[in-house]
Structure formats: structure tokens, C-alpha cells
């Protein structure tokens, strides 16, 4: 099956991934919502589509390499890269949020760098700084700040300086912005956090057939991914168990960010941890026929979703 061929690191698979992404974004070009998108200049729509393709491809490969290099998924493969690309099926073009998601990948990289770090001051400073910058676009991203403290506790790097430094870095971008706003007599910008659940669950009833199929497949795969992880967690290395604990917290907090945020683009926060969990399932599940069948369902439902976009 297709999944079996993805469980290696042959360089030609990167070319296959790029060709697959080209196909996905070429289909998006014919979508009505893309054709009706207002352009600021000639070829604007095409440039935005190309930028979305490039960012998605870079992000998928970077995420795949990060998780492999950190020994979280030890088997050399490109499964995770394909999973991340497929999870972007529902988005025709969203280059701004892909940049947002790419910065979030740096945040995860810094969290995982805390493992056995004797002096993690620079790491925790950068992680807080990235969250602060991202909060200008989605304020609720600040709910991920406790994840820094959680990571410090899990990796046993807790001391008063590692707790204080992220708080300091969190305010630095705002201090620069506030200084500018004082000079121009503008109202000071503060992140407005949304608590509770603002997501309208009744909108799920309005989903079209291809959307229901795609989300159902992802839901089933996600359930199996959690079952697979909890079932075999004890067999992973100490670093693997601790890293996946952080990723689970990351996933749960990101779900809350999406549900509580008024900006529905915040769904991009969920894609990174979800990709890792699903990728782990596809790589390590013992019943290869079953995992291969689920991957095929994932692939075909994603292709069907993209083709159906032509009429949207």
C-alpha cells in the first residue's frame, strides 16, 4: 500500500510530496471561491496560491524533520509530512495563517529543546517571545503560555529564572508597540482574550457531503491515534514519553484556543500537534493493512474534498 512506501527517507519522496501539493493547489485554482477572490494587482491570485503551496510544502517537510531529529518518531519516514499536507485540505489559500503556523513550529522546537538543557534561558526566552508576537494575530494563542511551564516541569528544568524569563519576553514586543503608540498618541494595544466556547456547533449540521466524510475520517483516525499512543506509551524512550506528554497538552490547549477564539483561522494552531499524533499512529501501528486502509481513506476523502471545492 501507499503508506508502506512512505515509511522510508528516500529523497524521491520529497519530490512526490511536492508533486502531490502541486496537484492539490492546482485543483484549488478552479474553485469558485478562489476565482472570486479580489486581487490587488494582476496575477495577485496566482501569487497568493503559489505562496500557499510553498509555505505548506516547507512547513510539512520542516515538521517531519523536526519530529525525526528530536527522536520523537524514530523511524525515518515522510508520513508526517503527507499527514500535515492532507490536514490542510480544507484551506484553499491562507498564506497569512501558514506563516502563523510556521512560527508556531519554532515555538514547538524550543519546547522540545528543553530536554536535558542545563541552561535553558535562551530557549524559554525565545518561546515566550514567539507567543507574544503571535498574539498580535490571535490573542488566544497566549493560552499556550502555561505549556512553557509544563514543559519545564516535565523536562525537570524548573527554577526561578526559567519561570521569570518567559514572562519578561512576553512583554517585550508589546513594550515596543506601546512606545510607538505613545509617540503617535494612539490607543494602547492589549491582547483581548476570549474565554468560554464561542464555536457554533450548530454549523456542523450545514456541512456538505464531502466535508462530513472528510471530518468523519479525521475523527476516526484521531481516536485511533490516541488509543495507539496510550497503548504503547510505556514502550517509548523516556524522551519520547515526555515529549509526547507535551504534545498532548499542546493538542488539548490548541483545541480550547480554537473553540474559544472568535477567529476561526485559529484552527491552524491544532494542525501541528494533531499531525504528530496521527503521524505516530500511521508509522507505528502494528496492523499495517488496517493503518494502510485508514491512510487510503484519508487520502481519497481529501482528494474528493478538493475536487468538490471546484463547485464551491
Amino acid at each position: 500500500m501507499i503508506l508502506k512506501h512512505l515509511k522510508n527517507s528516500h529523497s524521491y519522496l520529497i519530490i512526490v510530496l511536492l508533486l502531490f501539493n502541486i496537484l492539490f493547489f492546482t485543483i484549488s485554482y478552479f474553485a469558485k471561491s478562489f476565482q472570486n477572490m479580489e486581487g490587488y494587482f494582476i496575477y495577485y491570485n496566482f501569487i497568493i496560491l503559489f505562496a500557499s503551496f510553498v509555505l505548506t510544502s516547507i512547513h510539512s517537510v520542516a515538521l517531519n524533520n523536526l519530529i525525526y531529529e528530536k527522536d520523537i518518531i524514530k523511524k525515518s519516514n515522510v508520513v508526517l509530512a503527507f499527514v500535515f499536507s492532507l490536514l490542510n485540505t480544507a484551506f484553499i489559500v491562507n498564506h497569512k495563517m501558514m506563516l502563523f503556523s510556521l512560527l508556531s513550529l519554532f515555538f514547538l522546537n524550543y519546547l522540545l529543546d528543553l530536554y536535558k538543557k542545563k541552561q535553558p534561558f535562551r530557549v524559554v526566552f525565545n518561546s515566550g517571545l514567539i507567543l507574544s508576537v503571535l498574539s498580535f494575530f490571535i490573542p488566544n494563542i497566549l493560552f499556550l503560555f502555561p505549556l512553557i511551564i509544563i514543559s519545564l516541569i516535565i523536562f525537570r528544568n524548573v527554577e526561578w529564572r526559567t519561570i521569570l524569563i518567559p514572562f519578561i519576553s512576553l512583554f517585550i514586543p508589546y513594550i515596543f508597540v506601546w512606545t510607538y503608540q505613545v509617540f503617535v498618541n494612539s490607543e494602547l494595544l492589549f491582547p483581548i482574550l476570549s474565554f468560554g466556547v464561542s464555536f457554533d456547533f450548530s454549523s456542523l449540521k450545514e456541512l456538505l457531503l464531502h466535508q462530513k466524510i472528510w471530518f468523519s475520517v479525521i475523527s476516526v483516525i484521531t481516536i485511533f491515534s490516541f488509543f495507539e499512543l496510550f497503548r504503547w506509551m510505556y514502550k517509548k524512550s523516556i524522551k519520547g514519553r515526555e515529549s509526547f506528554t507535551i504534545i498532548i497538552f499542546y493538542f488539548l490547549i490548541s483545541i480550547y484556543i480554537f473553540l474559544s477564539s472568535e477567529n476561526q483561522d485559529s484552527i491552524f494552531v491544532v494542525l501541528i500537534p494533531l499531525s504528530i499524533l496521527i503521524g505516530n499512529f500511521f508509522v507505528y501501528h502494528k496492523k499495517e493493512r488496517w493503518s494502510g486502509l485508514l491512510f487510503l481513506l484519508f487520502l481519497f476523502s481529501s482528494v474528493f474534498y478538493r475536487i468538490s471545492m471546484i463547485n464551491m
Side-chain angles (χ1 to χ4, degrees):
M1 287 188 179
I2 296 176
L3 182 60
K4 182 179 180 180
H5 295 288
L6 298 180
K7 293 182 181 180
N8 60 71
S9 58
H10 294 316
S11 57
Y12 76 87
L13 289 174
I14 302 299
I15 299 176
V16 173
L17 174 65
L18 293 176
L19 293 175
F20 178 77
N21 285 341
I22 289 174
L23 173 64
F24 249 36
F25 283 94
T26 300
I27 295 174
S28 300
Y29 178 82
F30 298 100
K32 289 183 179 179
S33 55
F34 176 78
Q35 295 292 337
N36 296 332
M37 187 173 65
E38 295 184 3
Y40 297 100
F41 51 86
I42 190 171
Y43 301 127
Y44 172 82
N45 292 13
F46 177 78
I47 292 174
I48 295 301
L49 185 65
F50 181 74
S52 299
F53 155 72
V54 171
L55 289 172
T56 301
S57 300
I58 291 175
H59 197 315
S60 59
V61 174
L63 176 60
N64 195 99
N65 291 343
L66 171 65
I67 299 306
Y68 175 70
E69 290 172 0
K70 299 296 182 183
D71 287 331
I72 298 174
I73 295 179
K74 294 186 177 182
K75 289 185 178 180
S76 182
N77 65 90
V78 293
V79 173
L80 182 53
F82 275 89
V83 168
F84 182 82
S85 293
L86 290 174
L87 286 177
N88 278 271
T89 295
F91 312 103
I92 297 178
V93 289
N94 207 325
H95 59 291
K96 293 180 181 178
M97 289 311 302
M98 280 307 304
L99 282 172
F100 178 95
S101 184
L102 200 55
L103 281 176
S104 301
L105 188 59
F106 282 99
F107 172 70
L108 176 62
N109 178 54
Y110 286 126
L111 292 183
L112 299 177
D113 267 348
L114 289 172
Y115 182 75
K116 288 187 177 181
K117 202 82 170 181
K118 293 183 178 179
Q119 293 183 328
F121 310 125
R122 179 184 62 84
V123 176
V124 292
F125 177 87
N126 290 338
S127 59
L129 191 66
I130 288 176
L131 278 187
S132 182
V133 172
L134 292 177
S135 68
F136 287 110
F137 305 96
I138 298 180
N140 276 21
I141 196 71
L142 292 176
F143 287 134
L144 278 176
F145 182 79
L147 190 60
I148 301 175
I149 311 301
I150 292 172
S151 301
L152 288 169
I153 295 172
I154 291 174
F155 287 145
R156 297 171 295 281
N157 270 324
V158 180
E159 59 171 292
W160 70 269
R161 286 178 294 180
T162 56
I163 300 295
L164 179 62
I165 289 175
F167 282 97
I168 295 174
S169 63
L170 202 63
F171 283 98
I172 288 179
Y174 282 93
I175 290 174
F176 280 102
V177 172
W178 292 336
T179 302
Y180 170 77
Q181 290 176 327
V182 167
F183 275 111
V184 298
N185 293 322
S186 178
E187 183 179 355
L188 297 184
L189 173 66
F190 291 93
I192 301 176
L193 302 180
S194 302
F195 295 88
V197 177
S198 61
F199 180 76
D200 183 13
F201 286 95
S202 62
S203 62
L204 296 177
K205 298 179 182 179
E206 301 175 0
L207 294 177
L208 301 175
L209 176 62
H210 63 276
Q211 295 172 322
K212 291 179 180 178
I213 294 174
W214 190 71
F215 284 115
S216 297
V217 170
I218 291 178
S219 299
V220 170
I221 294 174
T222 301
I223 293 172
F224 276 103
S225 298
F226 271 97
F227 180 77
E228 175 76 15
L229 181 61
F230 290 129
R231 185 182 179 186
W232 302 105
M233 180 80 93
Y234 72 96
K235 288 190 175 182
K236 293 186 178 294
S237 63
I238 295 176
K239 182 179 181 181
R241 290 198 298 270
E242 293 176 344
S243 298
F244 267 108
T245 301
I246 292 172
I247 291 168
I248 291 172
F249 275 110
Y250 190 171
F251 175 73
L252 295 176
I253 296 173
S254 64
I255 288 291
Y256 177 74
I257 291 173
F258 169 65
L259 294 177
S260 62
S261 178
E262 295 180 358
N263 185 353
Q264 296 303 305
D265 284 338
S266 58
I267 187 64
F268 274 88
V269 181
V270 183
L271 297 188
I272 290 177
L274 181 58
S275 297
I276 299 170
L277 295 171
I278 293 177
N280 177 75
F281 166 73
F282 282 135
V283 171
Y284 287 112
H285 190 64
K286 297 297 183 181
K287 298 180 180 179
E288 293 187 358
R289 289 186 178 181
W290 174 241
S291 60
L293 176 61
L294 283 177
F295 186 81
L296 282 176
L297 287 174
F298 188 22
L299 176 62
F300 289 145
S301 63
S302 299
V303 173
F304 177 59
Y305 191 118
R306 275 290 167 116
I307 293 175
S308 299
M309 279 182 167
I310 295 176
N311 298 320
M312 294 174 60

